[in-house]
Amino acid sequence: MAVAEQDTAIRTGTGTRIFIYGILLVFALFYLLPLFVMVANSLKPLAEITGGNMMALPESWTIEPWKQAWSSAQIGVEPTGLKPYFLNSILMVVPAVAISTILGALNGYVLTKWTFKGDTIIFGLLLFSCFIPFQIVLIPMASVLGKLGLAGSIPGLVLVHVVYGIGFSTLYFRNYYAVFPTELVRAAMIDGAGFFRIFWRIMLPVSGPITVVCVIWQFTNIWNDFLFGASFGGQSQPMTVALNNLVQSSTGVKEYNVHFAGAILAALPTLLVYIVAGRYFVRGLMAGSVKG
Amino acid sequence: MTASSSTADFRTRLQEWLPKIVLSPSVAAMFVFVYGFIIYTIYLSFTGSKMLPSHDWVGVGNYVKLWGLRAWWTAIINLGIFATLYIVICTVIGLSLAILLDQKIRGEGMLRPIYLYPMALSFIVTGTAWKWIMDPGIGLENTMHLWGWESFEFGWIKDRNLAIYTVVIAAVWQTSGFVMSMFLAGLRGIDNEILKAAQIDGASNWNLYRRIVIPLLRPAFLSAFVILAHLAVKSYDLIIALTGGGPGRATELPATFMYSYTFTRNSMGIGAASAVIMLMTIAAIMTPYLYAELKEKK
């Protein structure tokens, strides 16, 4: 995000400034409210939610809802808690992010430094594929995964996420490499360096920042995906699908505190990434929206 | 020709082909899994497929049926309400917060991440949180009663006519901070000299923004619109987590309609037709935008 010198500030009096700070704070509370509700209520016994005030801090603190959400809550028909689904998500996310990022880097390199006739069309088609509503591919994807024997499996989900993740990863690396001086690549070619040698020795060493951006973006998107997980997850459902099953379960008492703990568990990995590397997260969002 | 020069020849040719070989798996995947699948779904939308794909051609029958279905109309009207409010409110909040944050605010570094963090969450998490916050039994309504505001009522999520607005609230919560970031980046990109000149000319604050700053933010408006519009059309998870399409079918959107007709109501042909209409809507928004972006680059 740009941290440019700010001279755009308007000339304001004290009254206006108090007003501005007031509004900004009200909105900060608005954005923080659900997080507060989730955390506070995940640490309460159920009776304090059903018979008490959702906006109040716990009177008797407990981590029981967290334990239940993690290892014993009823998900679907099994009282497994969210743990196995958390592992499913990890097993799905790691290879999917790695593969789509590597392919994106290579594609971006080819599309900027080894241009050929028709490369813009290829890139345009890849770019458009980032934005399609995935409903348009659900039906054939279901039968193809079935035929490949990958239906309801982690490798099947990895395949789906790689295939539909390539567009964005290519976009990131292509835009990043586009401003990298082509003369350097030319010079290396004249010196006899080959395709992979140039990629390895010249492009990769400068690719750190964009790799972080791309990994964060893919990680967030794939971890948070629900549609593919619900459609093709089968026995290997990811975290989002399990959380939804937990919350929507119509049998028994609604254990709101367990739901909130589960929701935080599902949000934790992406939130952590955001807290640790928020700067890159913002850059990824921007690059995905303003194709520069 | 000697053997060594023909190997060298082969190696140069390999080098020439290598980039295309490296690109080809992705391109092949794209043509099969994106464009091939799109064509296949379009084909299915002209067949009488029920539970499984079938090949009996029914022409535009599915489209005629689709537009005669009350549930589809509900979904389309809901999308109209949701998309309009979502885009307008996100833009207004995003722009306002960006302008306010741009006034040399102390603590900007604290506020920005607070506004933006919802974007890192899954819509399922957002939906879960807001589902219980807006639940009249345990949520906001109950809290207000406990705080002594006995007549306070907020039961929209249980009301067929108002439930769609709860979806707007949750969706705005999730994305408006992101829109703020886009506008803030736009504001920071404006040349300060222009603003100083206008201030010296005696332009009032209001006029400065209305006449100069906001018109200069045109690209940010365009990006925000395109991103929000395409997110609105694709909205699925949030509905599932927040309202499950209910009460009744009051908050169905095209995405949830497509899923239930295809996979639970065994009308794959109609489901495919609805997916095609979703794709066409998004294509109508994205294609001109992407085309302009690509052309600009050349």
Side-chain angles (χ1 to χ4, degrees), chain A residues 19-37:
Chain A
F19 177 73
I20 291 176
Y21 277 99
I23 294 195
L24 290 174
L25 277 178
V26 167
F27 271 95
L29 290 179
F30 167 66
Y31 290 113
L32 285 174
L33 175 82
L35 189 64
F36 168 76
V37 168

Side-chain angles (χ1 to χ4, degrees), chain A residues 94-133:
Chain A
V94 173
V97 170
I99 298 170
S100 62
T101 304
I102 292 168
L103 285 174
L106 287 168
N107 292 346
Y109 169 52
V110 172
L111 288 171
T112 52
K113 303 303 170 211
W114 298 82
T115 50
F116 53 92
K117 209 167 175 289
D119 57 354
T120 314
I121 295 172
I122 297 280
F123 180 61
L125 288 171
L126 268 174
L127 195 54
F128 181 74
S129 76
C130 297
F131 299 98
I132 56 165

Side-chain angles (χ1 to χ4, degrees), chain B residues 31-292:
Chain B
F31 277 119
V32 174
F33 289 95
V34 178
Y35 295 97
F37 281 9
I38 289 176
I39 290 165
Y40 184 70
T41 306
I42 294 174
Y43 165 74
L44 280 183
S45 75
F46 292 106
T47 68
S49 303
K50 295 279 178 241
M51 199 176 102
L52 293 168
S54 80
H55 301 287
D56 55 323
W57 188 261
V58 296
V60 295
N62 288 323
Y63 291 90
V64 174
K65 266 192 218 155
L66 181 67
W67 289 102
L69 280 172
R70 230 189 138 132
W72 175 247
W73 276 104
T74 311
I76 290 290
I77 291 167
N78 278 338
L79 178 61
I81 297 173
F82 170 68
T84 311
L85 289 174
Y86 173 59
I87 294 171
V88 169
I89 299 176
C90 275
T91 310
V92 169
I93 293 183
L95 179 63
S96 312
L97 288 180
I99 290 178
L100 295 182
L101 260 190
D102 201 32
Q103 308 305 324
K104 294 188 175 152
I105 293 302
R106 218 167 289 160
E108 188 202 317
M110 282 283 288
L111 288 168
R112 245 181 11 213
I114 292 176
Y115 294 166
L116 194 62
Y117 86 90
M119 202 62 192
L121 304 182
S122 143
F123 274 116
I124 300 292
V125 172
T126 303
T128 304
W130 282 99
K131 182 187 176 75
W132 299 141
I133 291 174
M134 295 194 283
D135 185 276
I138 60 161
L140 204 57
E141 186 177 301
N142 181 47
T143 298
M144 288 303 172
H145 292 174
L146 289 172
W147 283 348
W149 186 353
E150 295 290 341
S151 61
F152 182 86
E153 271 184 44
F154 185 60
W156 291 7
I157 203 163
K158 304 269 188 205
D159 185 323
R160 291 181 142 274
N161 297 315
L162 297 173
I164 189 71
Y165 301 103
T166 64
V167 183
V168 176
I169 295 176
V172 165
W173 178 80
Q174 175 125 356
T175 2
S176 48
F178 169 46
V179 179
M180 183 278 299
S181 287
M182 289 167 71
F183 280 120
L184 195 59
L187 284 171
R188 299 280 155 86
I190 292 175
D191 186 358
N192 283 326
E193 297 304 314
I194 303 175
L195 302 173
K196 270 188 196 149
Q199 279 183 334
I200 290 163
D201 283 351
S204 69
N205 292 336
W206 169 249
N207 271 333
L208 182 71
Y209 274 94
R210 199 172 60 109
R211 296 273 173 80
I212 299 171
V213 175
I214 292 179
L216 282 172
L217 288 176
R218 242 186 70 133
F221 274 101
L222 187 64
S223 303
F225 172 78
V226 170
I227 293 298
L228 292 171
H230 115 276
L231 282 178
V233 177
K234 285 164 84 167
S235 289
Y236 175 76
D237 328 13
L238 186 59
I239 298 284
I240 296 296
L242 190 68
T243 64
R249 321 198 53 180
T251 51
E252 293 275 359
L253 286 183
T256 59
F257 174 96
M258 184 275 167
Y259 200 91
S260 63
Y261 268 71
T262 307
F263 296 112
T264 55
R265 297 173 142 245
N266 296 335
S267 314
M268 193 176 276
I270 291 180
S274 67
V276 171
I277 290 177
M278 288 177 68
L279 176 73
M280 282 168 28
T281 314
I282 285 187
I285 302 164
M286 296 304 299
T287 319
Y289 178 70
L290 295 180
Y291 184 75

Side-chain angles (χ1 to χ4, degrees), chain A residues 129-175:
Chain A
S129 76
C130 297
F131 299 98
I132 56 165
F134 291 123
Q135 279 74 16
I136 197 80
V137 297
L138 282 187
I139 303 171
M141 197 60 176
S143 32
V144 166
L145 285 177
K147 279 184 191 134
L148 292 174
L150 293 175
S153 73
I154 302 274
L157 286 175
V158 171
L159 173 72
V160 173
H161 285 299
V162 167
V163 164
Y164 299 108
I166 293 175
F168 263 117
S169 58
T170 304
L171 165 71
Y172 286 142
F173 282 97
R174 188 233 184 219
N175 287 352

